[in-house]
Amino acid sequence: MADEPTKAALNSHFSPRGGSLQPDVLIELSSILNLHDLTPQDLFYKWESYSMKMGLEPSASSKMDAKTARDLKRDISDAVEREARQRSGPGKSGAADRRGTGATKTPRNKVAGGDMFGMIDGVTSSVGRSSSAKQHSNGVSKRKSDYETPTRPTATSNKSAKPHRGSSPSNSNSTTALSTALQEQNGTSFSDRPNPGAILQTLNDFIPIPSPRTSVPSSQPRVTLKSNTDMKKFEYKTMGMKLSEASEILDDRIDQFVELVQNFHELEDVDFGNPAVQSQNEIVAVGRIASDTSEARLAQGSVVLETSRRGGGGTRVPLELRDDGPAYEFFPGKIVALRGKNASGEQFRVNEILAVPALPPSSSSIAELQAHNSRLESSIPSTHDDDTMDENHANHKPPEVPSSNPVHPLNILLASGPYTPDENLHYEPLHALIDHATTNPPDCIILIGPFLDIEHPLISSGRFPPSLFTDPHAKTGLNPNTATLTDVFRVLVSTALQRLYAALPSTTVILVPSLRDATAKHAAFPQDRLSKKGLGLPGQCKVVTNPATLSLNEVRLAMSSHDTLFELKQAECVGGGGGGGVGQKAQAAPTHQKPTSDSLTRITRYLLTQQHFYPLFPPTNRANLPRPAASFASSSSSSTAATTTTANGETTERSGATDPNQQHPAISSTDTDIDNDLDVYAPPLTNSNSATGPAPTATGPNLDTPYLSLLEFTGANPDMLVIPSAALPPFVKVVDSVVAVNPGVVTPRRKGGGGGGGTFVRVYVRPKDLAGLEGQVEGEGEEKAVRHDVWERCRVDVVRV
């Protein structure tokens, strides 16, 4: 039996409402602690992951019984056994392991202190480190290294003011000067932002905004959270990529599409061929779009098709694309199926672009939908039952729900960082967002990183303001010489989330990491979860991977913090449509005789048709991405026009983006079709300033190629796809029956006027009407399922912070 302190800790974590666990439950949990050498807090984190993986009901996830404890014990033991087998098993292909249960961990010659080869000695504190950690196992003493955080040269720097060893430099004078410069650059402060709370754009405005729940919030959440992503696979070790493994993964993706196209179009094996081989016969070639230039900028005359080793020996062949040929919408990395022939042996003439089969829509059984509806305790009238919807069906309006109907739909709040302006670390936008949430309590809040932005000028330079360590509201009493970024996160971010938890104990909060998060220990894409330990997050916060696919009740939500949309917009090449055929069948991804004119719909459809969160390859060069704000202080007032690449590779300028720091045009109306006047910010590539140092580059995707399969859509299309983009205007659209959302950012980076407030999104999803299901039921018998059709029963508002 556990001792009294352990029992108290277990009761506080697993029975948070002041109750106590049953004796048999305490015995099982204590057994897990002793068996696996865990702390009660570590065990609670494993319990949260287990609950999310199994999709447990809210009542079950907050109540632990003996059976559930034994199931948890078995799951932890199975995970430990799998890891042991991977460490001791025979060496296998790393790529094969990545397609299975995960990569075999590389054996390391570790020491007791966890510092391999003494590389970080002198950086971390030696408090609590055992004396045995100061020597290698062979008895050789470590070299002592005097590593210090490098300081960026500034006009106010003083060589005699040397920072404490192992700590970040903190100079109040330079911090104030930088903050003042950034304040002047950004213009209006956040408190003076215009029109806070204004709705900028709405999807399905015929659905009324429900009135806020005036009753005391229930302690039981109305959301059942289930992960559709195997988050354990994201715990891979970075910086271990091998060229052979990356090549195999890229080939496998092409071969996977070959099988999809063959089954969908009912083709024979003889119909496929090598497009690089000269032949007078028409064949079908499947491969990856690439550019014949190292810059990977596509133009009509520079597009090549890269084949797999199985289908064409890995060769590349130029494509003959014509203005009077089939319409094409290409970007580097897109997998396509082309029908044509290579009569000359030099070019493959494209006569037809075959459609790629789309993933089926999300669906659930009637029993599951009834359970979700009963949880919301509401009923709604019948709605329209169209099979599909895209941007051409935007005027479709199901019957209105009377405002007197006491229906409380599923209420979701979506927001993306950064959460503080560049001139300070006050996190006013985050607190304003929490104030809005407490006024109109949502069932779920999804916060997408970055939270502690590594590109923030004060964080990247290490010039933390003195108020951070003397704030009377900070109960931690941070020491500027020993504080870590985790401590800073706990003070700036976790304190705000703790206030939210105190006001809304039943609201579920989901945190999605970003590659720009300074506290993220996993800096590659796909990205593992934030380490919850030490961040001081409240118990209601759930940390997920980047990207992640979750089910909130029946709503299947796919989201990623990486700005894939902007990179696709920069890299795409569209043209053709003057003639030629475009192969299409029912249930196929839509293809068109002419390229889609709506650019936002087009780039969103790329993700759906490619069934991937990041279909680009190779990744975008970091020099072509918007620079961090630290370099904007030196930007001149000269105008920078938006650019677009045409089919001939010409770069055209468009008016409207006269300010290089203006991320998108001002949005003033509620029914604007924002994308029709889209201006993409094309930043200057070189810039520097004596006050801020050389212009830094953007973080970039940091793509880990052997793990590209973790970025694939699996099973079914999502009901809602959330991809935040600071460089594109916030929008909400329905694309191929999927609600595509760019919530914008809470704190955009602009120069001059316009205020400091960004945007976030409110989503209201009415329960599924189960009265009239004609045309919505798929499958037979026990496999009978009902399409979710979230696009027709949700209201989505883009709101100014």
Side-chain angles (χ1 to χ4, degrees), residues 250 288-290 296 306 331-334 614-619 703 705 708:
L250 295 174
R288 178 179 291 104
I289 294 297
E306 180 181 275
F331 59 86
K334 183 176 183 179
Y614 194 85
L616 272 167
F617 192 86
L703 190 66
T705 307
L708 280 176

Side-chain angles (χ1 to χ4, degrees), residues 278-280 342-347:
Q278 182 178 3
S279 174
Q280 300 299 324
N342 186 350
S344 64
E346 297 180 355
Q347 282 187 324

Side-chain angles (χ1 to χ4, degrees), residues 153-297:
T154 63
T156 59
S157 62
N158 189 343
K159 294 182 179 180
S160 62
K162 187 176 181 180
H164 183 275
R165 171 180 164 181
S167 65
S168 297
S170 178
N171 187 309
S172 59
N173 294 330
S174 62
T175 301
T176 304
L178 180 59
S179 298
T180 302
L182 290 169
Q183 178 70 44
E184 294 174 353
Q185 165 200 316
N186 290 335
T188 310
S189 64
F190 177 78
S191 59
D192 298 329
R193 67 195 185 279
N195 303 323
I199 296 178
L200 306 180
Q201 189 182 13
T202 299
L203 174 69
N204 294 340
D205 57 359
F206 56 84
I207 300 178
I209 299 177
S211 58
R213 286 177 286 168
T214 56
S215 59
V216 178
S218 170
S219 59
Q220 287 293 339
R222 302 202 311 157
V223 174
T224 295
L225 182 63
K226 181 179 180 181
S227 173
N228 299 307
T229 302
D230 189 354
M231 298 187 185
K232 279 288 185 181
K233 293 184 178 180
F234 287 75
E235 299 175 0
Y236 64 89
K237 291 190 177 296
T238 60
M239 302 178 68
M241 181 175 63
K242 298 180 181 179
L243 289 178
S244 58
E245 296 173 356
S247 175
E248 186 177 345
I249 292 297
L250 295 174
D251 276 357
D252 287 347
R253 180 159 169 79
I254 297 178
D255 294 337
Q256 176 186 352
F257 271 72
V258 170
E259 184 177 356
L260 290 175
V261 171
Q262 182 175 10
N263 295 336
F264 183 71
H265 291 278
E266 300 177 353
L267 301 174
E268 301 293 336
D269 291 339
V270 295
D271 295 328
F272 294 88
N274 184 353
V277 175
Q278 182 178 3
S279 174
Q280 300 299 324
N281 299 324
E282 194 173 61
I283 63 169
V284 174
V286 179
R288 178 179 291 104
I289 294 297
S291 174
D292 62 359
T293 63
S294 58
E295 291 81 11
R297 291 301 298 268

Side-chain angles (χ1 to χ4, degrees), residues 197-213 400-412 436 439-442 670 760-766 793-800:
I199 296 178
L200 306 180
Q201 189 182 13
T202 299
L203 174 69
N204 294 340
D205 57 359
F206 56 84
I207 300 178
I209 299 177
S211 58
R213 286 177 286 168
E400 281 196 28
V401 179
S403 58
S404 59
N405 193 342
V407 173
H408 288 287
L410 182 65
N411 190 335
I412 305 172
H436 174 86
T439 303
N440 185 4
T670 59
F760 66 96
V761 164
R762 291 298 296 251
V763 182
Y764 308 94
V765 184
R766 298 190 301 180
R793 55 187 176 96
C794 74
R795 176 190 175 109
V796 184
D797 293 329
V798 179
V799 186
R800 188 182 295 278

Side-chain angles (χ1 to χ4, degrees), residues 352-364:
E352 182 182 2
I353 301 176
L354 300 182
V356 176
L359 287 172
S362 298
S363 59
S364 299

